[in-house]
Amino acid sequence: MLQWLSGTARRNRRAVVDRLYAEIVAAARQPVPYAEWQVPDTPLGRFEMLSLHLFLFLHRIRGREGALADIGQEVTDQFFKDVDHSLRELGIGDMGVPKRMKKLARMFYGRLSSYGDAIDAGDEAALAAALKRNLRPDAQDWDEASHLASYVLKAHEALVATPDEDIQSGKIAFPEPA
């Protein structure tokens, strides 16, 4: 009761969400995918990588209830606040932000199913095809998609091995891309 009155529990939850989101962002900004695997280093390419890592986190906690479900929602809310802020920093005005946010939200939620189906099946080729379709739709061939797909599957395995208690305390780790 005293924690609730003092806001300690709320501050602790905020700290957990901030740590988790910081890990997701750090993983999305690793240089290897951009420098070696030809992921576009553009605002849209960075959005795609951030979406991919958020997807991995959400996929890990799907079906969980209680604190993990709440944390997942708060991390997702933080992601969309971050996207909104980034659009405004890019110079998109108040009238254009909602339209672009809707489009980006549709893109994000569409990826949840295509990536999820491939990961659940353990189908690296299907995952590589989905990644190519979303990250490099303009490229005729993108052989590096297989490297990214392999990394995503390794990241998925690492997150699956992370105990729920660690996630609830704000501890997750993504592997280094190789």
Side-chain angles (χ1 to χ4, degrees):
M1 172 93 166
L2 289 176
Q3 280 188 338
W4 180 79
L5 290 174
S6 68
T8 302
R10 190 173 44 249
R11 282 192 299 277
N12 289 343
R13 173 69 64 82
R14 183 78 245 159
V16 166
V17 168
D18 288 347
R19 280 194 302 271
L20 291 170
Y21 190 69
E23 286 296 326
I24 292 167
V25 170
R29 291 183 177 169
Q30 294 180 85
V32 169
Y34 301 100
E36 296 179 23
W37 300 342
Q38 314 319 308
V39 170
D41 192 7
T42 62
L44 190 55
R46 290 187 293 274
F47 167 81
E48 291 289 353
M49 289 300 289
L50 186 54
S51 295
L52 178 61
H53 286 85
L54 177 60
F55 153 76
L56 285 165
F57 171 74
L58 294 175
H59 196 72
R60 162 57 180 86
I61 65 169
R62 74 180 168 166
R64 299 301 198 277
E65 296 177 1
L68 276 179
D70 294 342
I71 288 169
Q73 183 60 57
E74 289 182 44
V75 170
T76 303
D77 292 346
Q78 181 62 37
F79 166 73
F80 282 108
K81 286 179 193 171
D82 193 25
V83 170
D84 181 279
H85 178 75
S86 295
L87 289 173
R88 293 175 192 282
E89 278 189 342
L90 289 170
I92 296 170
D94 289 341
M95 298 298 286
V97 169
K99 181 174 82 172
R100 285 186 173 81
M101 285 296 295
K102 285 180 187 175
K103 179 180 179 185
L104 292 170
R106 278 193 310 271
M107 289 170 59
F108 173 73
Y109 287 111
R111 279 136 179 81
L112 293 182
S113 64
S114 66
Y115 296 158
D117 292 344
I119 284 178
D120 289 340
D123 189 343
E124 190 172 327
L127 182 57
L131 291 166
K132 182 202 175 300
R133 187 173 53 251
N134 295 321
L135 276 85
R136 297 291 306 268
D138 56 328
Q140 186 74 4
D141 294 312
W142 184 39
D143 297 332
E144 293 85 356
S146 63
H147 298 299
L148 184 56
S150 177
Y151 162 77
V152 169
L153 289 173
K154 287 177 189 166
H156 169 68
E157 290 170 8
L159 290 173
V160 166
T162 304
D164 287 354
E165 297 77 27
D166 285 358
I167 295 172
Q168 287 177 308
S169 65
K171 298 175 190 166
I172 58 169
F174 290 89
E176 294 286 325

